[in-house]
Amino acid sequence: MERTILGNLEAWRRSAERKPLILTGARQIGKTWIIREFGKRYFPHTAYVSFEDAPALAGQFEKTLDPKRLIRAISAETGVRVTPATLIVFDEVQEAPRAITSLKYFCEEAREYPIIAAGSALGIALHKGLSFPVGKVD
């Protein structure tokens, strides 16, 4: 099934000013499906992390926000060698608040890495005092 959002995601991918992207929405509307489909269509590899299933990786974000160290941890967790041609996906990102904060550092220090963060309860998590990287994400 072709969805309009794929064109928007493709425009984001090609943008010279691309920042990490946050995709929000209600539960069970297809956020994960569309991100995975986008990864299959437009990237040679996708490093997919669901923070509901990766507490050890979430702990790495508590230790550091350095993109280079985090990329190594993401590679180890997913088994995917992460390069600038790899789509990095943080799903259910509200489960790892420091992963949201890390998007600022990916924007400032490692913008060449395409990152999409998604979460259905993200608005609730942000309301509870989570730091949001204003101006550093799309």
Side-chain angles (χ1 to χ4, degrees), residues 62-121:
E62 296 298 324
K63 295 177 186 175
T64 185
L65 292 173
D66 175 44
K68 289 179 178 48
R69 290 183 180 179
L70 292 172
I71 287 167
R72 287 193 296 271
I74 294 163
S75 290
E77 176 70 28
T78 63
V80 174
R81 183 174 169 268
V82 176
T83 70
T86 304
L87 176 62
I88 300 169
V89 178
F90 295 162
D91 204 358
E92 297 302 342
V93 71
Q94 73 277 354
E95 300 296 326
R98 296 267 297 174
I100 297 168
T101 303
S102 78
L103 299 176
K104 171 185 175 183
Y105 299 95
F106 275 99
C107 179
E108 292 175 349
E109 301 170 20
R111 193 176 283 204
E112 68 274 18
Y113 291 92
I115 299 177
I116 298 178
S120 55

Side-chain angles (χ1 to χ4, degrees), residues 49-63 73 77 91-92 95-99:
V49 175
S50 171
F51 283 107
E52 286 184 330
D53 301 328
L57 182 59
Q60 291 298 312
F61 287 84
E62 296 298 324
K63 295 177 186 175
E77 176 70 28
D91 204 358
E92 297 302 342
E95 300 296 326
R98 296 267 297 174

